[in-house]
């Protein structure tokens, strides 16, 4: 395991490290090497979504420190803490191996640390922002409902939009007091709604026009609900006929 410049771990004693549920060294009885943390394995093209899913899962397990290098190797190589670190590292490595395709798994099998594997996958599969943003925007422009139900079409749109959102700069300083940030956020969500409405089939043009007349435009979930209601009414009407 490589040394980092991160502050030393607060879990100095071996016993407290493994017994305290708040410690990154704590392992629940269900935390075994065969555990699969994400439903979709990394194949390469889906790096962004898999990375996000894995980070969420590892955060729940309190193991993010083993992939971002924030947990230091104990200076005392004979301490119990080193054993606990090695054990946890190997558990996280196993979880990563279970979350990638067989081909990718073979290429990272002999890496020593979870952080090393994580960085390797990032360097290999993370696309630079420009090409990926271009691809997402192109897919959004070309996305149409066609033979899909409104729910299926919306799910496809939402998947593209949320990944695109992950590239969007966000203000997290907590010091912004003007209305500018709020207005930008509202405009961004209006774009989301417009993208959804634009891809709908022409058979829903009437309800789409009615929604566009509402000022301000309702939130995307409300618009989705209105469109789904119209779709259901049409389905019921055709069944009665």
């Amino acid at each position: 395991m490589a040394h980092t410049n991160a502050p030393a771990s607060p879990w100095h004693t071996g016993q407290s490290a493994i017994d305290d549920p708040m410690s990154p060294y704590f392992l629940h009885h269900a935390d075994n090497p065969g555990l699969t943390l994400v439903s979709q394995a990394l194949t390469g093209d889906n790096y962004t979504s898999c990375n996000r899913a894995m980070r969420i899962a590892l955060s729940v397990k309190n193991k993010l420190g083993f992939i971002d290098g924030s947990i230091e190797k104990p200076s005392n190589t004979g301490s119990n803490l080193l054993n606990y670190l090695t054990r946890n590292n190997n558990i996280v490595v196993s979880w990563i191996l279970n979350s990638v395709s067989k081909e990718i798994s073979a290429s990272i099998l002999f890496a020593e640390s979870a952080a090393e594997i994580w960085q390797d996958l990032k360097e290999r599969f993370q696309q630079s922002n420009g090409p990926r943003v271009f691809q997402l925007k192109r897919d959004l422009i070309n996305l149409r409902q066609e033979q899909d139900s409104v729910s299926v079409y919306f799910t496809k749109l939402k998947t593209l939009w949320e990944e695109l959102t992950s590239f969007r700069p966000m203000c997290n300083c907590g010091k912004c007091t003007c209305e500018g940030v709020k207005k930008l956020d509202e405009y961004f969500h209006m774009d989301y709604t417009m993208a959804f409405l634009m891809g709908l089939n022409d058979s829903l043009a009437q309800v789409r026009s009615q929604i566009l007349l509402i000022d301000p435009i309702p939130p995307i979930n409300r618009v989705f609900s209105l469109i789904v209601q119209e779709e259901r009414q049409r389905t019921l009407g055709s069944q009665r006929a």
Side-chain angles (χ1 to χ4, degrees):
M1 300 287 290
H3 288 274
T4 70
N5 295 323
S9 170
W11 308 101
H12 299 296
T13 63
Q15 200 60 31
S16 65
I18 62 170
D19 291 339
D20 191 332
M22 298 302 294
S23 166
Y25 298 104
F26 175 80
L27 286 172
H28 189 268
H29 63 82
D31 293 336
N32 61 79
L35 193 63
T36 301
L37 298 186
V38 296
S39 59
Q40 186 179 20
L42 173 67
T43 58
D45 295 337
N46 59 342
Y47 173 80
T48 301
S49 58
C50 286
N51 176 277
R52 171 68 174 162
M54 277 295 292
R55 289 188 68 87
I56 292 173
L58 290 172
S59 174
V60 171
K61 296 289 188 180
N62 199 18
K63 304 299 181 204
L64 281 178
F66 292 95
I67 63 168
D68 64 15
S70 63
I71 296 181
E72 277 194 320
K73 181 179 179 180
S75 56
N76 182 1
T77 57
S79 70
N80 286 335
L81 201 57
L82 178 59
N83 293 330
Y84 301 141
L85 183 144
T86 301
R87 183 185 179 197
N88 276 269
N89 171 74
N90 290 339
I91 283 284
V92 175
V93 167
S94 297
W95 290 345
I96 296 175
L97 291 173
N98 296 339
S99 302
V100 301
S101 68
K102 292 182 179 180
E103 294 77 14
I104 295 176
S105 176
S107 70
I108 58 177
L109 183 60
F110 296 100
E112 292 186 1
S113 72
E116 180 184 344
I117 292 175
W118 197 261
Q119 183 63 28
D120 177 35
L121 294 176
K122 178 180 179 180
E123 291 175 355
R124 276 198 279 165
F125 299 114
Q126 184 180 47
Q127 301 180 35
S128 60
N129 290 1
R132 185 55 182 161
V133 169
F134 175 84
Q135 182 181 348
L136 290 168
K137 284 183 172 288
R138 183 181 61 186
D139 291 345
L140 277 170
I141 291 172
N142 294 328
L143 184 63
R144 296 291 183 270
Q145 179 187 353
E146 297 181 340
Q147 303 302 316
D148 291 333
S149 67
V150 172
S151 294
V152 170
Y153 160 64
F154 179 69
T155 299
K156 291 179 180 179
L157 178 79
K158 183 177 176 65
T159 301
L160 293 171
W161 192 267
E162 289 191 350
E163 184 178 348
L164 184 62
T165 302
S166 69
F167 293 103
R168 178 189 176 208
M170 300 290 289
C171 177
N172 297 312
C173 69
K175 299 178 181 179
C176 298
T177 58
C178 70
E179 291 293 316
V181 174
K182 181 180 178 182
K183 290 186 179 298
L184 284 172
D185 192 55
E186 290 174 350
Y187 186 83
F188 184 75
H189 285 289
M190 185 179 71
D191 268 356
Y192 189 5
T193 302
M194 292 299 179
F196 172 59
L197 293 174
M198 287 172 62
L200 291 171
N201 291 338
D202 289 341
S203 59
L204 295 166
Q206 183 175 355
V207 64
R208 176 173 56 197
S209 297
Q210 293 171 351
I211 291 172
L212 288 171
L213 291 174
I214 301 174
D215 188 19
I217 297 292
I220 184 64
N221 286 338
R222 176 57 179 161
V223 172
F224 169 70
S225 178
L226 292 171
I227 298 294
V228 167
Q229 288 179 25
E230 177 67 18
E231 181 185 50
R232 288 173 180 169
Q233 289 178 358
R234 288 172 178 267
T235 301
L236 288 173
S238 62
Q239 289 175 350
R240 291 170 183 171

